[in-house]
Amino acid sequence: MKRSVMRGVAVWVACGLLLVAGAPVVLAQEYTASPGDVLDISVLGEPEVSGPVTVSPDGTITLQLAGSLAVAGLTLPQLTEKVTTALKQYIKEPQVVVTIRQAASKKEFVYVLGQALHPGAYAFQENWTVAELVAVAGGPAPGANLPKTMILRKNTTIPVDLQRLLVDGDASANVALQSGDVIILPESKNKVIVMGAVTKPGPYLFKDGDKVIDVLSAAGGPAPKAVTNNIGVVRREGDKPVVKPVNLDKFYKDGDAKQNVTLEPGDIVYVPEQRAFNWGTVLGGLNNLAYLLLLLK
């Protein structure tokens, strides 16, 4: 009777050992490391380099001695080989075992980068479009170059005109998304600098077609001591800055539309204060002018 019971127990133990031993083999064939996974690294006789490690968002793990190792997409045998090779520089014939402690949820994501209010990764929803994802990401930031938005899809770049979609309401510009898509909202290069006697000097974004009056209004208008008949738009032409004069007095009093210069990216709108004013002296003093223009181009 005792022999029968012991024989039965032995069979169950043997079956259990086969199941335990067999499960990792199947898993090792199917599993590949991905961000968020927690792996157990065991190095025989080396407790200081053994223990759990988490695969970081960039697909790497960090080990004592070996440092950072790229592991995303590797199977367990490949992981074991990579860790072993890395540790050979520090440990003689390391005996390494890599197992899975916890696999991250294999959710599908889409990504928003650049000039969105809340860039980042978002869990992919079926039938999502560009407009819906941008809305979830808080919408475009003020500095977004909407017409130059793009989707990176594997090895393909898909242009998206968010200006036409979000501002003009043209639904034909709305693109259906796929898992893994990356939406990039680049920064607008349409910037000018307003300097001198204005209420709020500094850099300003402008739309195509905007003129001096538009950006001066955004800057709070000329200050009380401003010389409004001798404003200059400093623009880089070739290797040298040139000044395009603007007489706001003629614009307002005589309706001279030529005084309201159309702006270009990189322009500097300079409003002088004193009447005894010489543009050659000003340009000579602005040693960083060319640098500023290059930044804004």
Side-chain angles (χ1 to χ4, degrees):
M1 185 69 177
K2 290 182 178 179
R3 290 181 179 178
S4 176
V5 172
M6 292 179 66
R7 189 178 295 114
V9 171
V11 170
W12 280 110
V13 170
C15 289
L17 289 172
L18 284 173
L19 287 172
V20 171
V25 173
V26 176
L27 191 57
Q29 292 172 349
E30 298 175 352
Y31 170 82
T32 57
S34 62
D37 290 353
V38 181
L39 306 174
D40 269 319
I41 310 291
S42 298
V43 185
L44 184 64
E46 303 289 344
E48 69 278 6
V49 293
S50 300
V53 294
T54 301
V55 182
S56 66
D58 64 357
T60 64
I61 59 173
T62 301
L63 297 180
Q64 292 290 338
L65 300 180
S68 180
L69 300 176
V71 299
L74 299 184
T75 63
L76 283 179
Q78 290 170 333
L79 281 165
T80 302
E81 181 182 357
K82 186 157 193 173
V83 172
T84 301
T85 301
L87 290 177
K88 280 182 178 178
Q89 302 177 50
Y90 311 97
I91 301 172
K92 185 178 180 181
E93 297 182 0
Q95 303 298 310
V96 178
V97 177
V98 181
T99 57
I100 308 163
R101 173 176 289 199
Q102 181 179 345
S105 174
K106 303 301 182 183
K107 288 183 178 180
E108 297 179 318
F109 290 91
V110 285
Y111 307 86
V112 182
L113 303 179
Q115 298 300 306
L117 290 182
H118 305 293
Y122 292 86
F124 177 67
Q125 306 291 326
E126 290 292 334
N127 301 318
W128 250 11
T129 63
V130 169
E132 291 167 321
L133 178 55
V134 170
V136 170
N145 189 352
L146 297 181
K148 299 297 183 181
T149 302
M150 66 186 75
I151 298 174
L152 299 184
R153 179 174 295 166
K154 297 181 180 178
N155 296 324
T156 305
T157 301
I158 303 171
V160 178
D161 189 342
L162 280 187
Q163 175 82 21
R164 193 156 55 92
L165 173 61
L166 301 180
V167 179
D168 302 335
D170 185 350
S172 67
N174 206 5
V175 178
L177 295 176
Q178 297 180 10
S179 174
D181 281 354
V182 180
I183 297 178
I184 299 178
L185 282 76
E187 185 177 10
S188 174
K189 297 299 182 182
N190 282 5
K191 292 181 181 179
V192 296
I193 290 181
V194 181
M195 301 177 65
V198 293
T199 304
K200 295 179 291 184
Y204 286 88
L205 289 166
F206 70 97
K207 304 186 299 294
D208 288 339
D210 277 358
K211 301 178 183 294
V212 170
I213 295 298
D214 300 308
V215 74
L216 285 178
S217 296
K225 295 183 179 181
V227 181
T228 55
N229 65 354
N230 196 19
I231 294 172
V233 175
V234 184
R235 179 173 298 167
R236 185 183 180 204
E237 293 186 355
D239 295 330
K240 296 182 179 180
V242 298
V243 179
K244 297 186 177 298
V246 173
N247 187 334
L248 284 189
D249 294 347
K250 284 188 176 181
F251 175 76
Y252 284 119
K253 294 177 182 178
D254 304 331
D256 185 356
K258 293 180 181 179
Q259 302 301 321
N260 196 13
V261 175
T262 302
L263 296 173
E264 295 182 2
D267 283 352
I268 294 177
V269 178
Y270 192 94
V271 181
E273 290 187 13
Q274 71 276 14
R275 295 189 180 278
F277 181 80
N278 182 280
W279 275 107
T281 303
V282 171
L283 291 179
L286 293 177
N287 293 325
N288 62 345
L289 178 61
Y291 174 69
L292 289 173
L293 290 170
L294 283 172
L295 283 180
L296 294 170
K297 281 294 184 182

